[in-house]
Structures are given as C-alpha cells and as structure tokens.
Amino acid sequence: MASPKPESIENATHEAIIERVESIVNIMEQRDTKLEDSITFFEEGIGLLKTAQDNLAKAEQRVVTLCRVEESDEDGDEMPS
C-alpha cells in the first residue's frame, strides 16, 4: 500500500520525504501503472528528491558552521555573534 503524500513538502521531515520517494518507486515498479500516472509520479519524485537534497545541504552547512565554532572555542577565541 502506498504511503500518503505529505500535506506540505516544505514542512515534511526528511524521513517522510524519503518514505514517499520509496513509495513512489514501489508504485512505478508495478507493471500495471499507466504511463501518464508513471510520469506524474516521476515528476513528484524528482521534486521530492530536490527538496531532500536541499535539506541535506542546509544540514551540512549547519554542521560545518558548528564545527568552526567548536574549533574557535578550542583555540580560545570567542564565539561569533
């Protein structure tokens, strides 16, 4: 059974986005999916993957920033404001 679409992709968790992508893949792997439906699912999946990549890039930037703050603290510098 396919998982439902998240109400708002912008507010969905990374895990919910990945779960929906996996659901779309499962649907598209079924041989009885109509071509037009497959294209619609594909479009949705591409959008979801872009959102997930954007979220990961933001998380990575946060980690990099936190590591720099930690390095500054170790060097005895004050934290940036």
Side-chain angles (χ1 to χ4, degrees), residues 1 6 8-10 30 34 39 50 56-58 60 68-70 80:
M1 183 173 157
S8 173
I9 296 306
E10 296 81 26
Q30 296 174 4
K34 295 179 183 176
I39 292 170
K50 182 181 179 333
L56 287 173
K58 288 176 190 173
E60 180 181 17
R68 286 186 185 144
V69 168
E70 182 66 29

Side-chain angles (χ1 to χ4, degrees), residues 69 71-80:
V69 168
E71 288 174 2
S72 293
D73 287 348
E74 289 175 1
D75 294 338
D77 296 335
E78 291 185 28
M79 289 180 42

Side-chain angles (χ1 to χ4, degrees), residues 6 8-18 47-63:
S8 173
I9 296 306
E10 296 81 26
N11 296 327
T13 65
H14 181 75
E15 293 76 15
I17 291 170
I18 298 303
L48 290 167
L49 289 174
K50 182 181 179 333
T51 300
Q53 288 173 333
D54 291 346
N55 291 345
L56 287 173
K58 288 176 190 173
E60 180 181 17
Q61 186 57 47
R62 287 176 59 196
V63 169

Side-chain angles (χ1 to χ4, degrees), residues 3-36:
S3 64
K5 282 186 183 182
E7 289 298 319
S8 173
I9 296 306
E10 296 81 26
N11 296 327
T13 65
H14 181 75
E15 293 76 15
I17 291 170
I18 298 303
E19 184 178 321
R20 178 62 184 161
V21 170
E22 289 172 349
S23 173
I24 290 170
V25 169
N26 289 334
I27 292 167
M28 291 180 67
E29 287 177 339
Q30 296 174 4
R31 296 196 182 266
D32 60 348
T33 305
K34 295 179 183 176
L35 177 60
E36 194 58 40

